[in-house]
Amino acid sequence: MQKVDRIYFDIDGVLKGTASPQEDIVALLRYCLDNYAGCIYWLTTHCRGGENHTDFALRGELPDDLVDELYSKVLPTNWEAMKTEAIDMDSDFVWFDDTLFESEKMILEQNYVLDGFFKMNPKDPDMAKKALDFLKGFRRETL
Ligand SMILES: [Mg+2]
């Protein structure tokens, strides 16, 4: 993977329920919003089956104005059984999640895109920082 053109975010264990300090999570999200506008997608049980409850899930976890901005700018996905249904396998994506089911892992492997999965360890207090460092390693393509 040489570049990133899509970012998928889980919520539980990634943006909430994690040992990472709030300021690091905010910094990660800020970087994504500033550098990947229009290319950030929800990939969480809080947004599936045509319903988006991500604002409800994040209210109280992050500053209200950031929750509102995320709700308006992060794009919803629609999936039913496996999160991989919502992933564009032809894109250069990063998927931040604390869980990867075996069935999902198989799909990623079959599409040769397993390297797009970035495992977030909720118990690691440096996890949000590591995710940000990872993203900063990719240069945004200039047009
Ligand atoms: Mg999770």
Side-chain angles (χ1 to χ4, degrees), residues 10-14 16 43-45 83 96-99:
D10 179 32
I11 289 182
D12 295 300
V14 174
K16 70 184 276 192
L43 204 49
T44 160
T45 51
K83 288 182 174 177
F96 293 113
D97 208 308
D98 60 321
T99 307

